[in-house]
C-alpha cells in the first residue's frame, strides 16, 4: 500500500497514547495476546523445528494480528530457556507488526543504576514499547524506565493473583490501601503518556476504584478468562474516553488447541474476544 | 588436598545455613562481593578480550575468594548485554568456588507458574544457591522459589535506596510499617533454612527492628560503603548467634582501581573489609 496510507505507528517505531487509541478504534479491539510460550505445552509437531518457541509464536502472531492491539511476551518463559531463549525473544519481538504495541512482561525493578540497565535491555538491546515494573522499591526504581523517550512503564498496582491480597490491599493509617498509594505516588513520576498500570480483572468493582484515581491512564488487565475475571465488568468499570484498557488473554488463546490447528484455533478465540470487545466499545465509549 | 579434608559445602553443590556459618567462621568474614560488572567501567585493557566481562569477573573472583563468603552477580548488568550476557553469567557462576554462596540478584516475582519458571532459570538452568525476590505480588509469587530443595529466596524487606521510603515504611492501621508485615507474613512461607531478607544498611537502628522480628534469618545487607551505611552499626544491630549477616560491597571493591591492577586493588579492599569483619565477629558473636 502507498506510504500515505499508513498511520504514524505503522511507520514509526514507537507508539503514543493517541496512536494506541487509533489502533483500538481501527481494529475495534483492546485485546492483548499474552505470549506465555511454554515448551511443555506447545503442539508436539513443532518440537522438531530448529526453534520451536519461535515457530509457535510466529504462527500465533500471524493468526491473531488482525484482532490484537498488543502482544505481551512473558519474559520468564524465554529466560527459562537460557541464552537461546533471549535470542528467541528478540526474534519474536522483531516480527510483531510495528503498529502493534509490545509489552515485555518482566516485572523488573531495582535501585536506579540497575533499573536503568534493565530498561536498556528491553528498550535498546531489544525494542519493546513497554515493560512491566514492580513498585516495591519506590521512585528511583521506576523513574529510570520513564526516562526513555517514547517508551512506557506498566506499573504493578493491583494484580490478579491470590497473593495480591497479602500486601496490596493493606490499609494505611488513613484507611487507604497500598495499591491506591502506589497509584497516587506514581503519578508524580509519569504521565498518561508514558505510564500504564497493571490492574487485575478478578474484582470488577476494584477496577472502578482504580479508574477514579487515574482517570486517563491505560490499564493492562490480566485475569480475564483462565483466572475468572469478566470482560464486561472490566469494560463497565474501567473504560475511559480513549478506551484506556488493554485486556490480556494468554492461555485461552495460545493453547486453544494443542494440535496442528493451534494457529487457527487461536485466531478463532482472538476473533471471538475481539467481537465481544467491539460490542463493549460501542456500548461504553 | 584429600577429600576428607573438605567440608560438605566444598563437595556438594548446595549450602545449608550451618554450612554458611561454618564458612563465615573459617574465613572470619561475612563479605558478599557484588558483581555489578559494567562494560563501561571495567579497565580499558580488558576490552580487547573475547569476553571482557567474564575476564573482569574471573580476576575479581580469583583475587577476592579468600575473603568472600558470597558472590552476588547483579543480573541487570548481564541482561543488558543480550543473549551473550547470559552466557557470560552462566560461565561466571560456574567458576565461583563451590564453598562460596551464590546470589542471583534478579529481584524477580510474578504469578505462580511464572515465578516457577524464573526459579528454574536461576536454580536449574544455572546453578545459583539463591535469588532475590520482590514481595509486592504476595505468597504465590514467592513460594514457587521456595519449593526448590536446598535453594534460597532472599526477599526484599527494607531496601537501601531513597525510594524505599515511598512504600516500605508506610504504616498500616495498627501503626506497623509495610516492611514489617512483609517480614511477618513471609515467615509463613519459608524458614531460616531457605529464606533470607534484603535489609539495607543505611539506617542502623532499623536493622535492629528487623532483627527483633526475624531473630534467626540471614540478612543480605546492601548499602555499606558507596551508599553510606556503617559496617559497625550493621554488626551491632544485626548480628545473631550464627552471624546472620551477608554484607555486600560492589563498587568499593570491584572498581577500587580502573587500571591493570584492578584485581590486586579489589583484593586489598576485600581484605580490608574482612579485617573489620573479623573484629566485629569477635566483638559481637
Amino acid at each position: 500500500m502507498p506510504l500515505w496510507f499508513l498511520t504514524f505507528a505503522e511507520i514509526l517505531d514507537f507508539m503514543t497514547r493517541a496512536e494506541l487509541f487509533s489502533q483500538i478504534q481501527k481494529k475495534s479491539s483492546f485485546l492483548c495476546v499474552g505470549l506465555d510460550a511454554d515448551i511443555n505445552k506447545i503442539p508436539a509437531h513443532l518440537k522438531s523445528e530448529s526453534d520451536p518457541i519461535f515457530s509457535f509464536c510466529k504462527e500465533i502472531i500471524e493468526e491473531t494480528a488482525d484482532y490484537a492491539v498488543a502482544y505481551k511476551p512473558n519474559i520468564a518463559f524465554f529466560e527459562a530457556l537460557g541464552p537461546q531463549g533471549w535470542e528467541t525473544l528478540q526474534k519474536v519481538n522483531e516480527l510483531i507488526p510495528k503498529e502493534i504495541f509490545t509489552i515485555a512482561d518482566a516485572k523488573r525493578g531495582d535501585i536506579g543504576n540497575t533499573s536503568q540497565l534493565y530498561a536498556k535491555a528491553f528498550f535498546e538491546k531489544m525494542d519493546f514499547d513497554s515493560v512491566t515494573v514492580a513498585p516495591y522499591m519506590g521512585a528511583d526504581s521506576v523513574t529510570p524506565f520513564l526516562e526513555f523517550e517514547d517508551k512506557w512503564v506498566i506499573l504493578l498496582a493491583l494484580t490478579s493473583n491470590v497473593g495480591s491480597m497479602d500486601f496490596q490491599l493493606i490499609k494505611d493509617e488513613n484507611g487507604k490501601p497500598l495499591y491506591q498509594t502506589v497509584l497516587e505516588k506514581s503519578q508524580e513520576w509519569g504521565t498518561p503518556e508514558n505510564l500504564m498500570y497493571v490492574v487485575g480483572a478478578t474484582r470488577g468493582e476494584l477496577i472502578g476504584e482504580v479508574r477514579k484515581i487515574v482517570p486517563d491512564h491505560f490499564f493492562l488487565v490480566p485475569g480475564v478468562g483462565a483466572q475468572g475475571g469478566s470482560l464486561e465488568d472490566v469494560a463497565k468499570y474501567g473504560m475511559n474516553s480513549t478506551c484506556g484498557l488493554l485486556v490480556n488473554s494468554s492461555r485461552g488463546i495460545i493453547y486453544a488447541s494443542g494440535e496442528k490447528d493451534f494457529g487457527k484455533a487461536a485466531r478463532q478465540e482472538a476473533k471471538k474476544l475481539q467481537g465481544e470487545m467491539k460490542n463493549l466499545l460501542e456500548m461504553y465509549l
Side-chain angles (χ1 to χ4, degrees), chain A residues 6 21 34 64 100 104 106 116 119 123 126-127 142 176 185 187 222 224 235 245 254 266 268:
Chain A
L6 300 171
F21 180 44
T64 58
I100 300 187
Q116 192 181 45
F123 293 156
M126 291 178 282
D127 189 26
V142 178
K176 187 187 293 175
K185 189 70 120 175
Q187 284 183 81
V224 169
L245 297 170
I254 69 175
Q268 279 312 309

Side-chain angles (χ1 to χ4, degrees), chain A residues 122-218:
Chain A
F122 292 107
F123 293 156
E124 286 184 356
K125 198 82 189 176
M126 291 178 282
D127 189 26
F128 281 95
D129 292 314
S130 66
V131 61
T132 56
V133 176
Y136 191 73
M137 293 181 68
D140 52 327
S141 69
V142 178
T143 50
F145 291 95
L146 291 165
E147 282 159 13
F148 284 71
E149 212 173 336
D150 307 316
K151 298 293 185 180
W152 293 78
V153 162
I154 308 183
L155 191 66
L156 301 185
L158 185 62
T159 59
S160 59
N161 61 322
V162 176
S164 66
M165 284 182 278
D166 287 328
F167 307 121
Q168 297 166 26
L169 299 182
I170 291 176
K171 288 182 178 165
D172 71 10
E173 290 170 310
N174 303 314
K176 187 187 293 175
L178 177 61
Y179 77 88
Q180 291 191 11
T181 307
V182 169
L183 291 168
E184 289 175 5
K185 189 70 120 175
S186 59
Q187 284 183 81
E188 301 164 17
W189 312 335
T191 72
E193 302 299 330
N194 68 354
L195 180 61
M196 303 185 182
Y197 295 100
V198 173
V199 184
T202 41
R203 301 176 214 89
E205 74 288 0
L206 284 186
I207 297 184
E209 294 299 310
V210 176
R211 185 48 87 200
K212 279 184 213 153
I213 302 168
V214 281
D216 299 325
H217 291 69
F218 261 86

Side-chain angles (χ1 to χ4, degrees), chain A residues 18-31:
Chain A
E19 194 55 46
L20 181 55
F21 180 44
S22 138
Q23 290 295 321
I24 288 169
Q25 289 179 300
K26 193 171 161 184
K27 288 183 172 171
S28 295
S29 167
F30 44 99
L31 175 63

